[in-house]
Amino acid sequence: MAPVARGLADTFRVVEPFQRGSGREPLTVAHHVADVHDLVESHCENERPALVGSSWGAMLALAYAAAHPTNVGSLALIGCGTFDQAARERMRANLNERMEDSLRQRLERLPEEFPDPDQRLRAMGDLILPVYSCELATTEQEVEECDARAHRETWEDMVRLQQEGVYPGAFAAIDAPVLMLHGAVDPHPGQMVRASLQPHLPQLEYCEWERCGHYPWLEKAVRDEFFVVLRGWLAKQSGHVPR
């Protein structure tokens, strides 16, 4: 998200959190929500910040806003993740349809090539980036390090909470404006994710680009428009006049 942070920093004050890594106890959504709360309390004083999250970060933004609805001014969800099994199955089908046999074979060899799970996760991300994208302007994601255990533990807890009926129902507590920004080429099925959220977030706005994948700021066709739309919407919610 560093490019997004930089792209907003000329107009807004931006605080980019770095999520905690794995440790002595398993990571949970509650841990991440508590960390965001500490950040908001220490950096935002009496302000209600906008939360801008991508993929899992979009899901975390919703989880935080549900737990602390009076602390959030607005939410922008970029390439938001899935909240039900049907959407996850659709996503897997999308990936399967797009993936060539050569890439599948390459992914199957990763455990041998990268015994370290953190390095393996990084390599997998690089390999599947084109499958998640439309026409990339750059393949540089600016990922400094990966934590495979943190990734696994966090996602398993999110799925557990969904299976127990916590999410997306808890999002009904959110009264802040919410915008989804999604690419039609993103394997995450945007319309299905939207449909799962809409009953709980009637204020949800949705913007989808045809020639766009999971990372709009990396896409040739939409990266400039992405920032125009995001800046404009955030400014409108905050009453700020963008430069």
Side-chain angles (χ1 to χ4, degrees), residues 112-123:
E112 297 177 9
E113 297 178 25
F114 298 93
D116 181 271
D118 297 341
Q119 294 179 4
R120 186 161 64 246
L121 180 62
R122 172 74 177 269

Side-chain angles (χ1 to χ4, degrees), residues 19 29 32-33 36 51 55-65 158:
Q19 295 174 48
V29 174
H32 292 296
V33 167
V36 175
L51 301 184
S55 196
W56 147 250
M59 305 174 81
L60 175 57
L62 286 166
Y64 176 77
M158 170 54 79

Side-chain angles (χ1 to χ4, degrees), residues 120-141:
R120 186 161 64 246
L121 180 62
R122 172 74 177 269
M124 183 181 70
D126 291 339
L127 285 172
I128 65 175
L129 177 60
V131 184
Y132 275 71
S133 307
C134 183
E135 187 178 5
L136 291 167
T138 176
T139 59
E140 177 54 60
Q141 299 183 76

Side-chain angles (χ1 to χ4, degrees), residues 48-217:
R48 289 170 49 133
L51 301 184
V52 180
S54 171
S55 196
W56 147 250
M59 305 174 81
L60 175 57
L62 286 166
Y64 176 77
H68 302 278
T70 61
N71 284 19
V72 178
S74 60
L75 296 97
L77 316 175
I78 307 166
C80 188
T82 57
F83 287 98
D84 56 54
Q85 187 61 31
R88 283 190 283 280
E89 289 176 359
R90 180 67 261 175
M91 179 181 171
R92 281 193 288 270
N94 288 341
L95 289 170
N96 189 55
E97 290 169 6
R98 299 174 193 178
M99 198 174 294
E100 297 180 355
D101 288 341
S102 57
L103 177 56
R104 289 193 185 90
Q105 294 167 5
R106 184 81 172 81
L107 291 171
E108 289 172 359
R109 294 197 299 269
L110 283 182
E112 297 177 9
E113 297 178 25
F114 298 93
D116 181 271
D118 297 341
Q119 294 179 4
R120 186 161 64 246
L121 180 62
R122 172 74 177 269
M124 183 181 70
D126 291 339
L127 285 172
I128 65 175
L129 177 60
V131 184
Y132 275 71
S133 307
C134 183
E135 187 178 5
L136 291 167
T138 176
T139 59
E140 177 54 60
Q141 299 183 76
E142 300 188 36
V143 177
E144 294 186 2
E145 60 183 33
C146 291
D147 187 331
R149 181 181 154 202
H151 177 274
R152 175 179 53 80
E153 291 174 350
T154 298
W155 182 246
E156 287 177 353
D157 193 54
M158 170 54 79
V159 172
R160 176 187 66 81
L161 290 166
Q162 293 179 19
Q163 292 172 341
E164 292 177 0
V166 176
Y167 300 132
F171 303 152
I174 301 171
D175 59 6
V178 185
L179 172 67
M180 276 187 71
L181 298 170
H182 217 89
V185 184
D186 189 339
H188 299 79
Q191 296 289 352
M192 292 182 73
V193 175
R194 176 191 189 186
S196 69
L197 294 177
Q198 196 87 58
H200 315 288
L201 295 167
Q203 74 274 33
L204 179 66
E205 301 175 57
Y206 187 80
C207 176
E208 184 175 276
W209 290 285
E210 285 297 320
R211 297 178 60 197
C212 180
H214 193 52
Y215 306 100
W217 62 92

